[in-house]
Amino acid sequence: MKQTHTRLFSLILMGTCAAVATPALAADPYPAQPITLVVPYSAGGGTDIIARHLSDRLSKVFKQPVIVENKPGANGIIGTRSVATSKPDGYTYALVVNSHLINPLVTKDIPYDTFKDFIGVTMVARSPLAFLSSTKLEAKNINDFLALAKKPGNKFAYGSSENMTRLVGDMFNHYNKLNMISVPYKGGAPLMADVAGGVTSMATGSLLSSSAYVQSGKITPLAVTGQSRTQMWPDVPTMAELGFKEFDNVYVTYSIFAPAKTPKPLLDSMQQAVAQVINQPDMKEILQKQAAEPVGDSVENFNEQVKKDFELWRNLAVAIDLKPV
């Protein structure tokens, strides 16, 4: 009888311990609090617009607020740094464009390591770039422009408004052995105004910043980058169609990164939610208005693509002897 009581007491004690231990061992459901999506650029730009539409829909999926914080400055470095130093708990992310990968090639003493301090989550969307010239030039496509640029006595310049478009212009200049002068602008608006007026011979820029000038007949879209024609300008050929295969995988990309030690299951949860949201018809329509297409690739595939993209820009930087300043 004594043994029976002892055994019963032991079973009760074990059950009590298990009941106490179970809540301590159970993981909190994710997310259990608001998520912050840092946009390291000014409010109102293309990245900010995509971030805010994305956050509204992610909030519904997660049943927690997804808050967009704009932290502009230093070509995205200031806001991106705040994410690098955040706790890797799945509650802080950055939504950035390609300048995140290009900054180490053009800027000295960045206060974080682009690869050691971050892990990729997914590419939200991508958009082609356009090669553009004034309709005052007798060039209907990029090959026409190239013939003019190589004509003895002609002095041409190409304009850009940030690191990404500058490097794409550098690619064209370098691979075609041209001597065009690179002219940096502080924004897409003044760049397009100068191209339309014939002050700058050619621009590499976004479809959005140039669309009004194209529609008014002041700027000619010579070609677009990427693997296929864009729905915004279906009659404009790709660079690859015209013989420039180097521009097949050149896009403006909108991508999400997290602090490097963020647990993989949390990265997967965010990636899956983003993929679900961006493939909804209303979100596809919003992206299309930004001349962008949804991607939503897996964490593994995205991080592999990040390596390939960085290699592309690094090889170009070496080829043109670009030094960080």
Side-chain angles (χ1 to χ4, degrees), residues 73-299:
N75 204 27
I77 292 172
I78 291 174
T80 308
R81 181 188 183 186
S82 73
V83 176
T85 56
S86 296
K87 188 176 180 181
D89 57 3
Y91 290 101
T92 306
Y93 299 90
L95 179 60
V96 296
V97 292
N98 309 62
S99 57
H100 176 65
L101 298 182
I102 294 171
N103 280 336
L105 302 173
V106 298
T107 306
K108 277 185 179 180
D109 303 322
I110 292 179
Y112 54 79
D113 188 297
T114 301
F115 293 96
K116 292 181 181 179
D117 293 336
F118 291 94
I119 181 73
V121 180
T122 190
M123 185 185 297
V124 176
R126 64 183 188 179
S127 176
L129 283 169
F131 286 84
L132 308 143
S133 71
S134 171
T135 50
K136 294 179 181 180
L137 284 179
E138 295 180 1
K140 300 300 182 185
N141 59 51
I142 202 71
N143 283 323
D144 290 347
F145 178 86
L146 190 58
L148 289 172
K150 289 186 172 182
K151 192 173 181 179
N154 280 349
K155 293 184 179 180
F156 281 7
Y158 61 100
S160 59
S161 57
E162 82 291 299
N163 289 337
M164 167 66 174
T165 53
R166 176 198 166 183
L167 279 183
V168 175
D170 289 344
M171 283 179 70
F172 183 74
N173 200 36
H174 172 74
Y175 289 134
N176 290 289
K177 297 180 173 57
L178 302 176
N179 291 312
M180 292 196 297
I181 299 168
S182 174
V183 182
Y185 283 76
K186 291 185 177 180
L191 169 59
M192 294 307 156
D194 272 7
V195 172
V199 177
T200 299
S201 313
M202 184 187 78
T204 48
S206 72
L207 278 65
L208 283 178
S209 65
S210 59
S211 61
Y213 287 99
V214 171
Q215 290 173 6
S216 67
K218 294 179 180 179
I219 283 181
T220 301
L222 302 171
V224 295
T225 64
Q227 297 167 2
S228 58
R229 296 191 182 196
T230 173
Q231 292 182 19
M232 184 174 281
W233 299 336
D235 295 330
V236 178
T238 65
M239 291 289 284
E241 285 180 69
L242 298 173
F244 302 90
K245 300 294 186 182
E246 302 91 350
F247 297 89
D248 263 10
N249 291 307
V250 173
Y251 291 91
V252 176
T253 59
Y254 304 91
S255 302
I256 295 178
F257 287 82
K261 295 182 181 179
T262 303
K264 178 65 161 47
L266 304 186
L267 301 178
D268 287 336
S269 292
M270 176 57 78
Q271 181 273 324
Q272 289 161 15
V274 169
Q276 175 185 334
V277 163
I278 61 177
N279 283 295
Q280 294 172 355
D282 62 335
M283 191 65 189
K284 280 186 173 182
E285 185 177 343
I286 288 163
L287 291 174
Q288 187 175 334
K289 288 179 181 177
Q290 300 294 313
E293 60 183 17
V295 181
D297 46 351
S298 70
V299 172

